[in-house]
Amino acid sequence: MQPIPFEDIQSRIDRLAGQDLYIHLELTTGAYASHLDSTRHPASVFITNAAVRYSQGSISGSGPYRVGLKTEQGWVYAEGLTHVDETEAERLILAGHDGQGKLVVALQLSREMF
Amino acid sequence: MNDTKQTGQQRILVVLPHPDDESFVAAGTLSMYIAGGAEVTYACLTLGEMGRNMGIPPFANRVSLPGIRKEELAASCRAIGIQDLRMLGFHDKMVEFEDRQLLDSTVTALLLELQPQMVITFYPGYSVHPDHDATGAAVIRAVGRLPEAERPVVYCSAFAVNHEQAIGQADVIFDVSDFLDQKMASIRAHATQFQAAELVGNRELTAEEIRLRYGTEKFWTYRFADQA
C-alpha cells in the first residue's frame, strides 16, 4: 500500500466509470473498540460484491481523501482514505488507515468479483 | 490448578475463528502438550480477512489480507508444532450469522473423525468478539450432542470484562513459561497483526514482561447442563 497519489486516483476512477462493477465498501471501529475503551461505541458496516455502476466519480480533499461516485440512482461515498494498492492495474483498492496503521475505511472497485 | 494433564498419545482439537487466536489463547498449552506427545488439530474457521491490522506501515489490504494471513497461520502452527491445520473457509465476522446446522455439522464431523480427548475453544458469551462467542457456542452444541461418556473435556478461554463475576475463576491454569519461545514465535508469525500497539506496546518487551504477560494460560472447563 502507498499513500494516495491524488491525480492518479482520479484518472483511475475515470477509467472505471460507465461500467458494471463490483464494490466493497466498509467502515469499521473494530470489534474490540468498546472492550478496550468502554466510552467508545463500536460500529461497523461492510457490503461486499454489490453491483454498482457510476456515471461520474471524483476524489476530493487534501488527505485523508474523500471519494464520491454518482450512480444512476444515488451515490456512493467514502471519507478518510489514505492508501492505495499501487500494484493493482485493473482494480481500484483504496483504504484509510488510522495513526496505528489500522484499517478504518475501505473502498474497492473491480470488474471481477472480489 | 488442574493436574489432569496427560502425556502420551493424546488428541486435542482446537476450534477458534481467527488466525492468531491460537497464539494468545493456547500456544503455550499446545506446545506443552505436543512436547508430551499430543497430536493437535487446529480447526480455524476464518482467515481473519476482515481484520483491521494491515502491518505498520500498511502492506496488506482487504484483497491481499486473506492470502497473507493464511501464510501467517501456517507459520504460527509450525512454531507451536501443530501437526494438522484445517482452514474451514467461513467468512470473518460472519460466524454468528452462519447457518447453524452447517457450523454444528462441521464441528461434529471433526469430533467424530478425530475422537479428541480435549477440545479448546472460546467460552460462549464471555469472549468479546461475536465470532469467538459463536464459535464456542457451536462447539458446545456439537459436544453436548455426544453421549456424555463420549464427550471430550472442553477447555474454554474467556476474557470479557467482568467474566469472572459470571463464570467464576478459571479452573485450569497452565504455567507455560517453559514454552514462551514457541508462543512468542507463534505471535510473531502473525506479522500483520502482532505489531498492534495494544498487544505489544511500542517497544520490545523484556523477558520478564513477556513471562508476566504470556507465561500463564487459563481455561474454564465447560460444565454441560446435563452433566452428572
Side-chain angles (χ1 to χ4, degrees):
Chain A
M1 299 298 273
Q2 265 193 350
I4 283 177
F6 186 92
E7 298 296 338
D8 178 50
I9 300 304
Q10 183 58 58
S11 66
R12 293 173 67 158
I13 290 171
D14 293 341
R15 284 205 298 276
L16 289 168
Q19 300 160 52
D20 291 331
L21 302 171
Y22 294 99
I23 187 169
H24 174 91
L25 184 64
E26 174 179 359
L27 185 71
T28 178
T29 59
Y32 297 99
S34 64
H35 179 68
L36 299 168
D37 176 356
S38 61
T39 65
R40 292 193 62 193
H41 178 96
S44 301
V45 293
F46 75 82
I47 184 166
T48 203
N49 285 328
V52 69
R53 185 184 180 99
Y54 60 90
S55 55
Q56 64 174 70
S58 33
I59 182 166
S60 175
S62 52
Y65 298 97
R66 303 177 294 280
V67 166
L69 308 174
K70 187 170 192 183
T71 65
E72 281 169 20
Q73 318 227 16
W75 289 90
V76 172
Y77 173 76
E79 182 181 4
L81 299 164
T82 57
H83 285 73
V84 63
D85 186 340
E86 73 284 4
T87 65
E88 290 278 353
E90 297 294 319
R91 303 184 290 194
L92 183 59
I93 309 295
L94 297 171
H97 295 269
D98 66 15
Q100 293 185 322
K102 290 172 185 288
L103 184 140
V104 179
V105 55
L107 171 60
Q108 304 176 174
L109 295 165
S110 171
R111 295 186 186 94
E112 310 291 327
M113 226 180 248
F114 287 105
Chain B
M1 209 43 199
N2 178 305
D3 60 4
T4 60
K5 175 177 53 170
Q6 295 169 19
T7 50
Q9 202 62 32
Q10 183 168 26
R11 193 170 279 282
I12 300 172
L13 171 62
V14 184
V15 188
L16 301 168
H18 308 124
D20 81 3
D21 287 336
E22 80 289 354
S23 306
F24 297 101
V25 166
T29 300
L30 295 172
S31 296
M32 181 176 73
Y33 274 94
I34 289 165
E39 293 280 323
V40 174
T41 295
Y42 177 19
C44 188
L45 272 72
T46 84
L47 291 174
E49 63 267 37
M50 297 305 292
R52 301 178 64 219
N53 295 322
M54 301 283 180
I56 303 171
F59 58 84
N61 58 60
R62 275 281 164 273
V63 173
S64 64
L65 193 63
I68 292 171
R69 294 200 73 177
K70 200 185 263 192
E71 297 299 318
E72 293 174 351
L73 175 59
S76 165
C77 288
R78 284 194 297 274
I80 297 169
I82 291 171
Q83 300 94 339
D84 180 23
L85 169 62
R86 314 279 180 100
M87 294 183 254
L88 300 187
F90 291 99
H91 194 292
D92 191 14
K93 284 178 91 87
M94 296 293 109
V95 178
E96 64 178 322
F97 305 108
E98 257 299 350
D99 175 357
R100 247 183 214 201
Q101 277 192 323
L102 175 64
L103 280 175
D104 293 9
S105 63
T106 303
V107 178
T108 297
L110 288 166
L111 291 169
L112 296 177
E113 176 199 336
L114 299 163
Q115 305 277 330
Q117 289 87 41
M118 183 199 298
V119 173
I120 294 178
T121 190
F122 280 112
Y123 205 121
Y126 302 99
S127 297
V128 182
H129 193 298
D131 283 346
H132 296 174
D133 287 335
T135 299
V139 170
I140 295 304
R141 286 194 302 270
V143 174
R145 277 188 209 112
L146 297 175
E148 193 181 336
E150 293 172 24
R151 285 178 201 155
V153 63
V154 181
Y155 287 168
C156 297
S157 177
F159 66 106
V161 174
N162 298 333
H163 62 278
E164 286 191 353
Q165 287 174 14
I167 57 174
Q169 294 196 335
D171 63 324
V172 180
I173 299 168
F174 291 126
D175 176 356
V176 299
S177 49
D178 288 342
F179 297 90
L180 283 174
D181 286 350
Q182 292 93 324
K183 182 167 181 172
M184 296 315 290
S186 161
I187 291 172
R188 291 197 178 99
H190 297 285
T192 53
Q193 308 299 304
F194 96 100
Q195 297 159 307
E198 68 267 25
L199 296 182
V200 295
N202 293 316
R203 61 187 174 78
E204 287 290 312
L205 297 176
T206 66
E208 179 63 8
E209 285 171 320
I210 287 173
R211 196 184 62 75
L212 283 173
R213 192 177 303 191
Y214 297 118
T216 304
E217 291 174 0
K218 297 196 274 186
F219 301 94
W220 284 254
T221 305
Y222 193 85
R223 303 277 304 171
F224 288 86
D226 62 350
Q227 203 166 320

